[in-house]
Amino acid sequence: MIAWRAIAAAILLVTGPALLAGEIPSDARRSGYAFMGPDTRAMQDDDTANPGMLFVLDGEQLWKKTTGTAEKACADCHGDARGSMKGVAARYPAFDKALGRPITLDQRINLCRANHQQATPLPYESRDLLALSAFVGRQSRGVPITAGEDPQLEPFVEQGRKLFMQREGQLNLACTNCHDDNFDKRLAGAPITQGQPAGYPLYRLEWQTLGSLERRLRSCMSGVRAQAYDYGSPELVALELYLMSRARGLPMETPAVRP
Amino acid sequence: MAALINVPSRAKRGEIIEIRTLTSHIMETGFRHTADGKLVPRDIITSFICRYNGDEIFRADLFPAIAANPYLSFFTVAKESGKFEFEWIGDNGYSSTATASITVE
């Protein structure tokens, strides 16, 4: 009996971390870019036509600007972002030891402001916060997503996965019902994507501005007539973490353009 | 405000070149209301001018139906080396400028 168990355990180990039911295998993962038309792709690919780059330019200014009572700029600690911030956005949300939970890049920026710059936190979706996270994210363009690799994140990835699978709202739909089971089909004329968050914060033509992944998740939630979680809530962070770990391997596109 | 300008840095004399401009602006239409019913006042760019070594070569009037962060692309003939000046003028005394230089061989 024990021998059988050992064999079964060995088989499980050999097959490695098996994909969970309904999950998209890594070679079949496609970013939203693959679902767009040629015009929107061209807009994203040309840095002088991509409106997200306007925010990146603003973010570059903010990076160098001293703020708060400590009179420090981001650059005073982190130096040249092209080196120091490369790959950072690709591993967020990341585990914060002091808080004992994962935090998003926006939350990290605000923690830095509070702890090191002695400045007031920037509100979610404010132009300055989006500009800073777009600037930081831009340094990771082309870097494969690695979020969720830290073993300490495991329970939070699992929490996010449960939320992704959980039906909610008056339409009683889960994220998985569209983004795992029905991508490549259409919803009211628009293509249903796999929901791979490779380019956030991204410029959405519908919004006419840059927006965070949390904003996107909240609009999906109101779309299924559910009560959206608050910005920065543990549920949204867990969902964001699960989505990023689900997109592992895809290259970062920040700032992406989406219809 | 931040602007992104795409002008070729070099061109042959007489060559037709494309100029692309993108600028930050909310382009608030003046037709929208807040949740409590107040009208959001119009705040748009109303005109755009491009000068090539001081001569006006392109002008556009912009209207409320134009999306935020307006993108304009147009063509001109590269006559001589020099400077392109761009100017965006809008509501509430808005004005923003940018420049780009070109070498014509």
Side-chain angles (χ1 to χ4, degrees), chain A residues 168-180:
Chain A
E168 61 170 11
Q170 290 175 332
L171 301 191
N172 201 28
L173 284 168
C175 313
T176 183
N177 297 141
C178 285
H179 300 291
D180 281 334

Side-chain angles (χ1 to χ4, degrees), chain A residues 69-236:
Chain A
T69 47
E71 297 203 357
K72 270 193 194 164
C74 307
D76 290 338
C77 292
H78 297 289
D80 187 347
R82 275 173 296 181
S84 64
M85 291 295 121
K86 191 179 162 73
V88 170
R91 58 181 172 79
Y92 265 79
F95 191 78
D96 184 86
K97 280 210 173 63
L99 294 173
R101 60 178 168 85
I103 56 166
T104 63
L105 188 57
D106 288 358
Q107 289 173 324
R108 166 59 67 209
I109 290 169
N110 271 334
L111 278 174
C112 253
R113 285 177 67 85
N115 299 338
H116 304 296
Q117 296 179 303
Q118 329 272 294
T120 49
L122 296 165
Y124 285 104
E125 302 304 298
S126 63
R127 188 173 176 99
D128 284 0
L129 186 57
L130 290 169
L132 271 171
S133 62
F135 175 67
V136 171
R138 170 69 181 82
Q139 314 309 321
S140 297
R141 198 190 270 178
V143 175
I145 294 171
T146 55
E149 278 180 355
D150 184 346
Q152 296 176 96
L153 288 172
E154 214 172 297
F156 301 96
V157 176
E158 184 51 30
Q159 183 196 0
R161 197 185 75 83
K162 281 204 179 112
L163 288 166
F164 190 84
M165 302 294 169
Q166 177 189 296
R167 287 178 181 272
E168 61 170 11
Q170 290 175 332
L171 301 191
N172 201 28
L173 284 168
C175 313
T176 183
N177 297 141
C178 285
H179 300 291
D180 281 334
D181 301 342
N182 285 300
F183 65 81
D184 268 336
K185 293 182 189 154
R186 280 172 177 270
L187 180 67
I192 301 174
T193 69
Q194 292 182 349
Q196 309 284 15
Y200 283 91
L202 57 75
Y203 194 91
R204 217 168 154 229
L205 300 177
E206 186 193 309
W207 293 338
Q208 298 201 19
T209 184
L210 210 70
S212 69
L213 175 54
E214 296 194 19
R215 178 169 181 188
R216 174 67 265 195
L217 291 173
R218 284 168 52 90
S219 20
C220 258
M221 285 168 192
S222 21
V224 299
R225 315 286 184 267
Q227 177 76 47
Y229 299 112
D230 289 332
Y231 281 106
S233 66
E235 290 88 355
L236 270 189

Side-chain angles (χ1 to χ4, degrees), chain A residues 229-244:
Chain A
Y229 299 112
D230 289 332
Y231 281 106
S233 66
E235 290 88 355
L236 270 189
V237 176
L239 255 178
E240 193 167 333
L241 174 63
Y242 171 67
L243 283 171
M244 284 295 275

Side-chain angles (χ1 to χ4, degrees), chain A residues 49-62:
Chain A
N50 180 343
M53 288 306 290
L54 295 168
F55 290 78
V56 173
L57 286 180
D58 286 348
E60 191 174 9
Q61 296 305 318
L62 290 169

Side-chain angles (χ1 to χ4, degrees), chain B residues 7-100:
Chain B
V7 171
S9 54
R10 299 185 162 274
K12 288 199 178 73
R13 195 173 301 274
E15 192 183 331
I16 294 170
I17 53 165
E18 185 182 14
I19 296 170
R20 286 175 284 173
T21 68
L22 179 68
T23 191
S24 280
H25 201 283
I26 53 166
M27 296 296 282
E28 183 58 56
T29 61
F31 297 120
R32 301 197 305 165
H33 292 82
T34 58
D36 52 354
K38 278 203 209 93
L39 190 71
V40 182
R42 193 183 90 160
D43 182 10
I44 63 166
I45 293 174
T46 48
S47 76
F48 167 79
I49 302 143
C50 173
R51 293 186 192 88
Y52 184 7
N53 286 342
D55 296 338
E56 184 177 310
I57 56 158
F58 182 83
R59 174 189 282 268
D61 290 335
L62 286 86
F63 296 93
I66 292 171
N69 307 314
Y71 170 80
L72 287 167
S73 137
F74 49 94
F75 295 84
T76 191
V77 177
K79 325 175 279 197
E80 61 204 5
S81 298
K83 209 163 69 166
F84 286 99
E85 291 166 298
F86 306 92
E87 190 178 8
W88 294 265
I89 298 163
D91 291 336
N92 312 315
Y94 177 86
S95 170
S96 167
T97 55
T99 56

